[in-house]
């Protein structure tokens, strides 16, 4: 599938609105490129992370001559797939059949006659919140035990908080607040 194919298939999901599909695809690409160029990661829950990586200086070989060539350090774009995406590709998770129904918050809002006028994703902030909760919880270990809770209870909560923190920190899940208005 190339960019044109992607736009055409997306347009089918947008009731044939090829202009909106093209704007969406091109806007997405532009935003990802601009953010990664600035050194910021673009994390899409369930899909993956676009990021900027540093490649160290190294010695390579000229394929024609076999001669050693020094390559300067550089930065390159990279994509790190998320767990759900990996599982889909591996076949351990099956994608649901397309239903023609809205599959995103924006599509659901549009189907309800609403327009998204603001969007705030704060999954990384929530990861930090969970880290702080876990630290505070563990710092109060004696107080928790005085309330009658045992080691198993403490371990379960430590695991839960750490697991959730990791899910938000890696972009496998997120929290998004939408501001909607009637069309």
């Amino acid at each position: 599938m190339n960019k044109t194919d992607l736009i055409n298939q997306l347009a089918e999901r947008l009731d044939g609105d090829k202009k909106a599909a093209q704007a969406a695809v091109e806007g997405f690409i532009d935003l990802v490129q601009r953010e990664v160029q600035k050194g910021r990661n673009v994390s899409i829950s369930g899909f993956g992370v676009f990021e900027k990586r540093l490649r160290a200086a190294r010695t390579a070989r000229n394929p024609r001559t076999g001669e050693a060539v020094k390559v300067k350090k550089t930065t390159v774009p990279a994509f790190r797939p998320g767990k759900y995406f990996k599982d889909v590709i591996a076949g351990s998770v099956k994608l649901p059949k397309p239903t023609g129904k809205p599959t995103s918050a924006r599509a659901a809002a549009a189907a309800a006659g609403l327009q998204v006028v603001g969007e705030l994703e704060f999954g990384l902030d929530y990861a930090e919140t969970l880290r702080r909760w876990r630290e505070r919880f563990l710092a109060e270990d004696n107080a928790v035990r005085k309330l009658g809770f045992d080691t198993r209870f403490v371990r379960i909560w430590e695991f839960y908080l750490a697991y959730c923190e990791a899910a938000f920190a890696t972009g496998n899940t997120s929290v998004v607040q939408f501001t909607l208005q009637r069309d």
Side-chain angles (χ1 to χ4, degrees), residues 56-124:
R58 64 193 188 285
T59 303
R61 296 262 172 220
N62 181 323
R64 273 189 262 153
T65 65
E67 185 179 340
V69 178
K70 290 187 178 187
V71 179
K72 293 180 182 179
K73 73 177 182 178
T74 186
T75 54
V76 296
F79 176 73
R80 184 170 26 103
K83 181 181 179 330
Y84 180 76
F85 188 31
K86 288 179 188 177
D87 291 345
V88 166
I89 301 307
S92 59
V93 171
K94 294 189 184 205
L95 288 172
K97 293 180 182 177
T99 62
K101 295 179 182 176
T103 56
S104 70
R106 289 183 182 280
L114 301 170
Q115 178 182 357
V116 176
V117 294
E119 180 178 337
L120 174 65
E121 181 171 355
F122 51 100
L124 293 177

Side-chain angles (χ1 to χ4, degrees), residues 3 6-7 10 20-30:
K3 183 177 172 184
L6 178 62
I7 290 168
L10 182 58
Q22 183 173 356
V25 170
E26 289 177 357
F28 172 79
I29 292 168
D30 181 66

